[in-house]
Amino acid sequence: MRTPYLRLTTVLGTAAASASVLVLGTAPAQADGNVFVAYNALTSPSAKTEFAQDGEILTALDMKSDSHGVAAQWRYNSSSATHSYYNGGGYAVAKNWNLSFAEGTTLQIRACLQDTSSGAPYSCGGWEYAEA
């Protein structure tokens, strides 16, 4: 009589463990720490900005072949001073900038379109939080 009971508890335990993995999910593997991402649009984005916590690298990536360059922007948490970095390298070209912040600094990042290095960023996405 103990055998069916033990088998049932083993099956239920395995099912519960499997369900918890599905509910809680698993964190993606990241060899270089946390990477924070922002897009210029929710649907069909054409610009992407990333901030890698490890190394404090800001990246601008042009995601569409549309004759527009892209800009990665950052600011201190809710500050009015915005720092903008232009990438006119073309479609699928990423450009990186090595920044330096105090550990634990809260930033905001966003992605924009920009047509020339002297042009102004436009069609920017919303500000996303990142941490150095």
Side-chain angles (χ1 to χ4, degrees):
M1 261 196 136
R2 288 185 162 235
T3 304
Y5 175 76
L6 289 175
R7 221 177 281 149
L8 179 60
T9 57
T10 302
V11 169
L12 291 176
T14 303
S18 298
S20 68
V21 168
L22 290 174
V23 171
L24 298 176
T26 57
Q30 295 179 353
D32 295 327
N34 290 329
V35 176
F36 301 90
V37 179
Y39 297 94
N40 74 317
L42 293 177
T43 58
S44 190
S46 51
K48 177 181 179 182
T49 295
E50 293 182 354
F51 180 75
Q53 192 175 43
D54 187 25
E56 298 168 346
I57 305 295
L58 184 71
T59 301
L61 174 65
D62 190 336
M63 297 176 60
K64 279 194 178 172
S65 181
D66 58 6
S67 301
H68 299 293
V70 297
Q73 293 189 324
W74 71 269
R75 67 182 182 186
Y76 289 108
N77 186 20
S78 300
S79 169
S80 61
T82 299
H83 306 270
S84 192
Y85 296 83
Y86 173 69
N87 175 8
Y91 171 65
V93 174
K95 187 169 182 181
N96 299 324
W97 295 271
N98 190 353
L99 307 178
S100 181
F101 300 101
E103 181 96 13
T105 299
T106 300
L107 308 170
Q108 291 179 304
I109 61 171
R110 72 178 177 179
C112 306
L113 296 178
Q114 183 173 330
D115 289 332
T116 64
S117 60
S118 61
Y122 65 95
S123 294
C124 298
W127 289 103
E128 301 292 336
Y129 284 94
E131 186 176 321

